[in-house]
Amino acid sequence: TTALAQAEEYGFLGKNILGSGFDFSIKLHRDIGIFVSGESSALMAAIEGIAPEPRPKYIHTSVSGIRGRPSNLNNVETWANVPLIISRGAEWFTGIGTEGSKGTKLVSLAGNITNTGVVEVPMGTTLERLIYDIGGGIPNGKKLKGVHIGGPLGGCIPESLLNLSVDFDELTKAGAPMGAGSMIVIDEDTCMVDLARYFLNFVAEESCGKCVPCREGIYQILKILNRICEGNGKEGDIELLEEISEVVRDASLCALGQTAPNPVLSTIRYFRDEYEAHIKEKRCPAGVCKALIS
């Protein structure tokens, strides 16, 4: 708010900018603060003053968005790149990064890592360099188990895949879409089943409840994960989790439901042995799930 007021005072915003005859103003809209508002059509609904629920995309927001008018939505990080591209040129910008992912990426390092915070790295930087060279490695002499990428809707990458780079396509193929660039480093004391349960609990609370696959499917996934962590898992639970996750992913209305199963599918993909230990041996390898600690 202060920055916008200063920009207007200096003539960079508002009427007749710098005497050019061009008018342009910026207004801030404070959302009610729920996760699903990050979805484009839900965000536009919030700006209209109605419940932030996604709508089907057979009509794109670029055709009919806020109050039925063509609307363009971009992330702040995208806008931050625009002045650099204009001032230095597209050739300079595309000279940074990989074939499919150009420029740089803001990455938020958190979790079991020595140096936490937000860093800007060229696309193509490996996870290993991010964690050890920039992040300073794992504190207290602990062993790295993996890294969770992409926030609550992201996925887990095991320690064996640290050669993967910060690249939209590469991380998506590995089951961990980059999203906004959140990276939570995980050490050996983390239970992967409990971690998946943590993220699914968050997503269940933040779902708008508009479509059945997301509303009911996420609840059923969470119910099974709770049962497994409480020592009541049974044969077939892993396969059931995969089956429900695929339905939620394929049939949900918006990206929240479509990506909500990522934490479950990625942890089953790379850490299936931990699920089997919980179910078959009634044991939590990381010693986290209280019901399974003797």
Side-chain angles (χ1 to χ4, degrees):
T1 302
T2 302
L4 290 176
Q6 290 173 341
E8 288 187 6
E9 181 184 345
Y10 285 111
F12 300 145
L13 276 178
K15 299 285 186 181
N16 192 27
I17 295 174
L18 298 178
S20 65
F22 180 67
D23 301 340
F24 189 83
S25 60
I26 296 176
K27 293 181 180 178
L28 291 181
H29 175 87
R30 292 183 66 87
D31 182 55
I32 60 174
I34 64 173
F35 192 67
V36 75
S37 287
E39 197 277 338
S40 59
S41 60
L43 179 57
M44 292 181 186
I47 292 172
E48 293 174 346
I50 60 178
E53 293 181 347
R55 61 173 183 250
K57 299 299 189 301
Y58 49 83
I59 299 178
H60 292 288
T61 52
S62 57
V63 176
S64 177
I66 299 173
R67 299 180 184 90
R69 297 187 176 190
S71 304
N72 179 28
L73 184 146
N74 278 293
N75 190 281
V76 174
E77 189 175 2
T78 301
W79 291 118
N81 281 308
V82 172
L84 292 169
I85 297 172
I86 291 175
S87 63
R88 300 198 178 194
E91 190 174 339
W92 168 83
F93 185 79
T94 55
I96 305 168
T98 64
E99 183 63 32
S101 300
K102 303 298 184 183
T104 63
K105 186 78 186 84
L106 291 175
V107 175
S108 170
L109 285 175
N112 308 123
I113 193 164
T114 303
N115 304 323
T116 60
V118 179
V119 295
E120 183 178 13
V121 296
M123 288 288 195
T125 303
T126 64
L127 295 177
E128 184 174 24
R129 179 158 189 271
L130 261 172
I131 293 171
Y132 288 102
D133 294 348
I134 299 172
I138 317 304
N140 305 318
K142 295 290 183 179
K143 186 173 182 279
L144 175 70
K145 181 178 279 190
V147 54
H148 184 88
I149 300 172
L153 305 177
C156 289
I157 297 292
E159 189 266 345
S160 60
L161 295 181
L162 285 189
N163 61 325
L164 287 178
S165 62
V166 177
D167 176 292
F168 288 109
D169 297 331
E170 197 167 342
L171 291 177
T172 299
K173 284 178 189 174
M178 193 188 309
S182 161
M183 293 192 183
I184 302 174
V185 181
I186 302 160
D187 70 11
E188 59 190 311
D189 293 335
T190 303
C191 170
M192 304 310 290
V193 185
D194 181 64
L195 185 71
R197 176 172 70 160
Y198 170 80
F199 286 121
L200 264 291
N201 186 64
F202 173 83
V203 177
E205 291 180 356
E206 296 296 327
S207 169
C208 74
K210 183 176 182 178
C211 73
V212 173
C214 177
R215 182 183 69 236
E216 300 300 328
I218 291 174
Y219 171 75
Q220 292 301 328
I221 293 171
L222 184 58
K223 193 175 176 182
I224 296 168
L225 290 173
N226 281 330
R227 193 170 72 227
I228 293 173
C229 289
E230 290 164 2
N232 299 315
K234 54 188 179 184
E235 291 284 348
D237 273 351
I238 298 176
E239 291 73 21
L240 186 56
L241 282 172
E242 291 176 319
E243 184 179 352
I244 299 174
S245 292
E246 287 169 6
V247 172
V248 174
R249 181 189 63 196
D250 296 340
S252 291
L253 177 62
C254 82
L256 185 143
Q258 292 162 9
T259 55
N262 281 339
V264 178
L265 292 173
S266 62
T267 50
I268 290 176
R269 178 177 175 180
Y270 297 116
F271 303 95
R272 192 183 188 96
D273 57 324
E274 290 201 27
Y275 281 84
E276 291 174 344
H278 281 70
I279 295 169
K280 297 178 181 178
E281 304 170 28
K282 304 302 178 188
R283 177 177 65 87
C284 176
V288 171
C289 301
K290 294 180 181 178
L292 299 176
I293 301 172
S294 60

